Amino acid sequence: MTTCCTIDDCEKPSVGRGWCWMHWRRWRRHGNASYDPPTRRPAAERFWQRVDKTSSASGCWLWMGYPYFTTNGVQRGAHIWAYEDTGATIPPTYEVIRTCRSPLCVNPDHLECLPNGERTRRNLTKTHCKHGHSLHDAYESTTREGWRNRHCKICRQEQANNKRKGVA
């Protein structure tokens, strides 16, 4: 004959100390068989707690930490979650880009949904790098996937010099 768990409203069969497996494990782990694990906070509350809206002069809302956010067991870019939190949807062949080019920005006003490859096409029409140097005679390279990239010669030279000197 099996007896039921002695915890109120629990109908499971008892295993040890008059408790079922779940209550016995809770007692072992937390020191209290009636321990009720805390409920997870809503995703929006967890997300916006990690955003700093004050530190950037450019209007960027900076994500504090590694720029990924997990909801319902799925990890995605924080900027993608911020874009979808505004009620917008992302079609299957589209990507969300940051128009401000800050890798930690999650400000929905700085996010734009574009077809795949449009960002590369836009980059090829630029005339100056982010430091203001002319891209007139920039290095061009092609990735294995066939994407074309342009690199500023002056910035590349500065990077090489800094690396040679041991500057980060």
Side-chain angles (χ1 to χ4, degrees), residues 77-90:
H79 67 293
I80 295 171
W81 194 92
Y83 184 81
E84 289 181 337
D85 190 45
T86 63
T89 58
I90 304 169

Side-chain angles (χ1 to χ4, degrees), residues 29-104:
R29 187 173 294 149
H30 304 287
N32 182 354
S34 299
Y35 174 80
D36 193 19
T39 56
R40 187 146 192 164
R41 293 177 299 146
E45 182 182 329
R46 289 185 297 115
F47 181 86
W48 293 112
Q49 181 182 11
R50 297 181 64 186
V51 174
D52 180 11
K53 296 182 181 180
T54 59
S55 67
S56 176
S58 62
C60 291
W61 296 350
L62 300 178
W63 179 259
M64 296 180 293
Y66 195 65
Y68 285 94
F69 186 66
T70 303
T71 53
N72 301 326
V74 177
Q75 185 182 43
R76 295 182 303 169
H79 67 293
I80 295 171
W81 194 92
Y83 184 81
E84 289 181 337
D85 190 45
T86 63
T89 58
I90 304 169
T93 59
Y94 280 62
E95 61 184 339
V96 177
I97 66 155
R98 299 170 185 94
T99 56
C100 60
R101 298 181 156 264
S102 172
L104 297 177

Side-chain angles (χ1 to χ4, degrees), residues 75-163:
Q75 185 182 43
R76 295 182 303 169
H79 67 293
I80 295 171
W81 194 92
Y83 184 81
E84 289 181 337
D85 190 45
T86 63
T89 58
I90 304 169
T93 59
Y94 280 62
E95 61 184 339
V96 177
I97 66 155
R98 299 170 185 94
T99 56
C100 60
R101 298 181 156 264
S102 172
L104 297 177
C105 182
V106 293
N107 185 344
D109 295 337
H110 295 189
L111 303 176
E112 188 177 0
C113 190
L114 297 174
N116 289 344
E118 177 62 25
R119 176 177 40 168
T120 304
R121 283 189 284 282
R122 284 186 183 183
N123 286 340
L124 292 175
T125 61
K126 291 192 174 173
T127 58
H128 291 80
C129 77
K130 65 181 179 180
H131 298 291
H133 306 131
S134 173
L135 290 176
H136 176 66
D137 43 328
Y139 293 115
E140 283 209 15
S141 64
T142 306
T143 64
R144 280 183 260 183
E145 294 81 23
W147 296 104
R148 287 178 28 206
N149 294 318
R150 291 190 306 164
H151 308 283
C152 174
K153 283 186 177 182
I154 298 169
C155 291
R156 277 291 173 112
Q157 190 62 47
E158 288 175 3
Q159 287 174 348
N161 289 340
N162 288 340
K163 188 174 183 181

